[in-house]
Structures are given as C-alpha cells and as structure tokens.
Amino acid sequence: MQAHITININGKDVQTESGISVAAALARSGLNTTRISVTGEQRAPVCGMGICQECRVTINGQAHKLACQTLCIDGMKIETLQSSAQLSSQQQKQKESPL
C-alpha cells in the first residue's frame, strides 16, 4: 500500500500517492491543462521527459518547473498558468472596452 500525501493545486488541497510526478497528480485530479500559450491555447504535458516543456508550472513559488520531472512532496503548492492567463485575458478585455 502506497502512502498518501497532501498537495495544493491552484489553492485546493488534493490527496495523492507519494512518489508520483506533479504531471501525474495534475492529471489524476482532473486538471489536464498546465498553462496557456501566448496565443491563448491550452497546453498540457506531451513528452513526459522534459524536452517539450509544455508542462511548466509554478511549484512553491518557483516558476517554470517541469511537472513531468518533479516528484510530489507533502505540502507542495502547485499553480498552473491557466488561472494567470484567464486573469490576463480579462484585464485585456477591460483595456479594450470603452468607459
């Protein structure tokens, strides 16, 4: 039997197995998008070995960490860039709309 740990994904505590990658934990929690590209498209892990860098997330305040190459640790805080991109999109719409 594998031990369970608690990680925090985008502000929500999630129970997961110890020893799995952050990318696997994100997928198991139902979150398949790790970031939003500069053109606004959803991105997700592709290669699983750190080459494509599509799995970049912020871990414990450090940006651009590779989720597929990082193992989960109890208490880890993970932020995907999806929420940041949505905020940026809203801010851009506010700039474009007349007062």
Side-chain angles (χ1 to χ4, degrees):
M1 187 166 123
Q2 216 165 358
H4 283 78
I5 59 173
T6 301
I7 60 175
N8 185 287
I9 301 173
N10 293 334
K12 181 179 178 182
D13 285 341
V14 175
Q15 292 284 314
T16 194
E17 295 81 16
S18 64
I20 67 169
S21 70
V22 170
L26 291 170
R28 286 185 177 187
S29 72
L31 185 63
N32 296 318
T33 301
T34 54
R35 65 186 193 89
I36 303 295
S37 73
V38 295
T39 60
E41 296 187 42
Q42 295 183 2
R43 307 308 294 171
V46 176
C47 70
M49 58 187 184
I51 302 300
C52 72
Q53 300 199 7
E54 295 293 351
C55 65
R56 289 175 285 162
V57 295
T58 299
I59 298 176
N60 295 331
Q62 294 183 334
H64 308 295
K65 293 297 196 178
L66 300 179
C68 71
Q69 297 295 297
T70 306
L71 296 180
C72 290
I73 299 171
D74 191 44
M76 180 180 275
K77 293 185 189 300
I78 303 159
E79 297 174 51
T80 66
L81 297 180
Q82 182 176 9
S83 56
S84 298
Q86 290 171 344
L87 178 60
S88 295
S89 176
Q90 289 174 348
Q91 289 171 341
Q92 183 63 31
K93 286 179 185 176
Q94 288 175 347
K95 287 180 184 177
E96 294 171 355
S97 66
L99 295 177

Short mmCIF file of all heavy atoms in Angstrom, two decimals, residues 1-5 15-21 24 28 71-72:
data_model
loop_
_atom_site.label_atom_id
_atom_site.label_comp_id
_atom_site.label_asym_id
_atom_site.label_seq_id
_atom_site.Cartn_x
_atom_site.Cartn_y
_atom_site.Cartn_z
N MET A 1 0.84 -1.19 0.00
CA MET A 1 0.00 0.00 0.00
C MET A 1 0.88 1.25 0.00
O MET A 1 1.82 1.36 0.77
CB MET A 1 -0.89 -0.02 1.24
CG MET A 1 -1.91 1.07 1.25
SD MET A 1 -3.15 0.74 2.50
CE MET A 1 -3.01 2.22 3.45
N GLN A 2 0.55 2.17 -0.89
CA GLN A 2 1.35 3.39 -1.03
C GLN A 2 0.83 4.49 -0.11
O GLN A 2 -0.37 4.65 0.08
CB GLN A 2 1.29 3.85 -2.47
CG GLN A 2 2.56 4.43 -2.96
CD GLN A 2 2.58 4.54 -4.47
OE1 GLN A 2 1.65 4.14 -5.15
NE2 GLN A 2 3.65 5.08 -4.99
N ALA A 3 1.76 5.26 0.47
CA ALA A 3 1.38 6.35 1.36
C ALA A 3 0.77 7.49 0.56
O ALA A 3 1.14 7.73 -0.58
CB ALA A 3 2.61 6.85 2.11
N HIS A 4 -0.18 8.17 1.17
CA HIS A 4 -0.80 9.34 0.54
C HIS A 4 -0.24 10.60 1.17
O HIS A 4 0.10 10.64 2.35
CB HIS A 4 -2.32 9.29 0.70
CG HIS A 4 -2.96 8.34 -0.24
ND1 HIS A 4 -2.97 6.98 -0.03
CD2 HIS A 4 -3.60 8.54 -1.41
CE1 HIS A 4 -3.59 6.39 -1.03
NE2 HIS A 4 -3.99 7.31 -1.88
N ILE A 5 -0.15 11.63 0.35
CA ILE A 5 0.32 12.93 0.80
C ILE A 5 -0.70 13.97 0.36
O ILE A 5 -1.57 13.70 -0.48
CB ILE A 5 1.71 13.27 0.21
CG1 ILE A 5 1.66 13.27 -1.32
CG2 ILE A 5 2.76 12.31 0.74
CD1 ILE A 5 2.95 13.76 -1.97
N GLN A 15 -5.40 15.02 -2.17
CA GLN A 15 -4.69 13.84 -1.70
C GLN A 15 -4.18 13.08 -2.92
O GLN A 15 -4.91 12.89 -3.89
CB GLN A 15 -5.63 12.92 -0.91
CG GLN A 15 -6.10 13.50 0.41
CD GLN A 15 -5.02 13.42 1.46
OE1 GLN A 15 -4.37 12.40 1.62
NE2 GLN A 15 -4.81 14.52 2.18
N THR A 16 -2.91 12.65 -2.87
CA THR A 16 -2.34 11.87 -3.96
C THR A 16 -1.32 10.89 -3.39
O THR A 16 -0.96 10.98 -2.22
CB THR A 16 -1.71 12.79 -5.04
OG1 THR A 16 -1.46 12.03 -6.20
CG2 THR A 16 -0.45 13.46 -4.55
N GLU A 17 -0.87 9.97 -4.22
CA GLU A 17 0.11 8.99 -3.79
C GLU A 17 1.49 9.64 -3.75
O GLU A 17 1.82 10.45 -4.60
CB GLU A 17 0.15 7.79 -4.75
CG GLU A 17 -1.13 6.99 -4.78
CD GLU A 17 -2.21 7.60 -5.66
OE1 GLU A 17 -1.89 8.49 -6.47
OE2 GLU A 17 -3.37 7.21 -5.49
N SER A 18 2.29 9.26 -2.79
CA SER A 18 3.66 9.76 -2.76
C SER A 18 4.45 9.08 -3.87
O SER A 18 4.14 7.97 -4.28
CB SER A 18 4.31 9.49 -1.40
OG SER A 18 4.43 8.11 -1.19
N GLY A 19 5.44 9.79 -4.40
CA GLY A 19 6.30 9.22 -5.41
C GLY A 19 5.86 9.39 -6.85
O GLY A 19 6.54 8.96 -7.76
N ILE A 20 4.71 10.04 -7.08
CA ILE A 20 4.29 10.28 -8.46
C ILE A 20 4.70 11.68 -8.89
O ILE A 20 4.94 12.55 -8.06
CB ILE A 20 2.77 10.06 -8.69
CG1 ILE A 20 1.93 11.10 -7.97
CG2 ILE A 20 2.36 8.66 -8.29
CD1 ILE A 20 0.46 11.07 -8.37
N SER A 21 4.77 11.88 -10.19
CA SER A 21 5.15 13.20 -10.70
C SER A 21 4.03 14.20 -10.51
O SER A 21 2.85 13.83 -10.38
CB SER A 21 5.52 13.11 -12.18
OG SER A 21 4.37 12.88 -12.96
N ALA A 24 1.47 13.75 -13.23
CA ALA A 24 0.53 12.65 -12.96
C ALA A 24 -0.50 13.07 -11.92
O ALA A 24 -1.69 12.77 -12.07
CB ALA A 24 1.28 11.42 -12.49
N ARG A 28 -4.48 13.14 -12.49
CA ARG A 28 -5.36 12.38 -11.60
C ARG A 28 -6.40 13.27 -10.93
O ARG A 28 -7.48 12.82 -10.59
CB ARG A 28 -4.55 11.64 -10.55
CG ARG A 28 -3.84 10.45 -11.11
CD ARG A 28 -3.15 9.68 -10.03
NE ARG A 28 -2.52 8.50 -10.58
CZ ARG A 28 -1.96 7.57 -9.85
NH1 ARG A 28 -1.94 7.67 -8.53
NH2 ARG A 28 -1.40 6.53 -10.43
N LEU A 71 8.82 15.24 -8.63
CA LEU A 71 8.01 14.35 -7.81
C LEU A 71 7.26 15.14 -6.75
O LEU A 71 7.76 16.12 -6.21
CB LEU A 71 8.89 13.30 -7.14
CG LEU A 71 9.62 12.33 -8.07
CD1 LEU A 71 10.46 11.35 -7.27
CD2 LEU A 71 8.64 11.59 -8.96
N CYS A 72 6.06 14.70 -6.46
CA CYS A 72 5.23 15.35 -5.44
C CYS A 72 5.82 15.12 -4.05
O CYS A 72 6.31 14.04 -3.74
CB CYS A 72 3.81 14.78 -5.46
SG CYS A 72 2.88 15.25 -6.92
#
